[in-house]
């Protein structure tokens, strides 16, 4: 067993040709967990943003104005996130095709 530059152990050392073998199942698990963490982070950010924007003072229940504000805030946030993701994908595709 050897350790890589980040301090994590790698089974079996460097392997053939000096390259570390990556377990595809482990890699998929790590990517899925990273995706879950990113979603949780976005939800937390959205909650804070919309709460600060819409709730002037805490009450025992939401009034219709506050509820409407929260719904609109979430919808706008999701809309903007979709636009940003689409633009990013367009740039990636453009860069991949050789255009900048």
């Amino acid at each position: 067993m050897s350790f890589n530059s980040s301090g994590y152990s790698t089974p079996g050392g460097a392997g053939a040709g000096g390259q570390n073998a990556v377990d595809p199942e482990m890699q998929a698990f790590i990517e899925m967990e990273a995706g879950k963490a990113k979603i949780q982070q976005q939800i937390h950010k959205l909650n804070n943003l919309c709460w600060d924007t819409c709730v002037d003072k805490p009450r025992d229940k939401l009034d219709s104005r506050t509820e409407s504000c929260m719904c609109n805030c979430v919808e706008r946030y999701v809309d903007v996130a979709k636009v940003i993701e689409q633009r990013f994908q367009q740039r990636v595709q453009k860069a991949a095709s050789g255009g900048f």
Side-chain angles (χ1 to χ4, degrees), residues 55-67:
V55 178
D56 52 353
K57 61 182 180 178
R59 297 184 175 100
D60 56 347
K61 65 179 191 174
L62 296 177
D63 60 15
S64 61
R65 183 194 66 79
T66 304
E67 186 175 348

Side-chain angles (χ1 to χ4, degrees), residues 21-33:
V22 177
D23 180 12
E25 189 174 322
M26 179 60 81
Q27 183 67 29
F29 175 77
I30 291 169
E31 289 174 5
M32 184 174 20
E33 291 301 310

Side-chain angles (χ1 to χ4, degrees), residues 2-99:
S2 64
F3 291 89
N4 62 19
S5 62
S6 62
Y8 294 107
S9 64
T10 56
Q19 296 179 357
N20 290 331
V22 177
D23 180 12
E25 189 174 322
M26 179 60 81
Q27 183 67 29
F29 175 77
I30 291 169
E31 289 174 5
M32 184 174 20
E33 291 301 310
K36 288 179 185 178
K38 185 176 180 181
I39 289 170
Q40 287 294 328
Q41 182 182 25
Q42 290 296 321
I43 290 171
H44 182 71
K45 183 177 179 181
L46 176 62
N47 284 340
N48 286 337
L49 173 73
C50 292
W51 182 269
D52 291 344
T53 301
C54 297
V55 178
D56 52 353
K57 61 182 180 178
R59 297 184 175 100
D60 56 347
K61 65 179 191 174
L62 296 177
D63 60 15
S64 61
R65 183 194 66 79
T66 304
E67 186 175 348
S68 177
C69 179
M70 293 288 280
C71 287
N72 288 333
C73 180
V74 169
E75 288 172 1
R76 296 301 73 78
Y77 187 88
V78 170
D79 290 344
V80 169
K82 285 180 182 178
V83 168
I84 291 170
E85 183 178 349
Q86 289 170 352
R87 294 273 172 94
F88 181 72
Q89 289 295 330
Q90 289 171 351
R91 285 189 169 197
V92 168
Q93 290 173 350
K94 191 173 183 181
S97 67

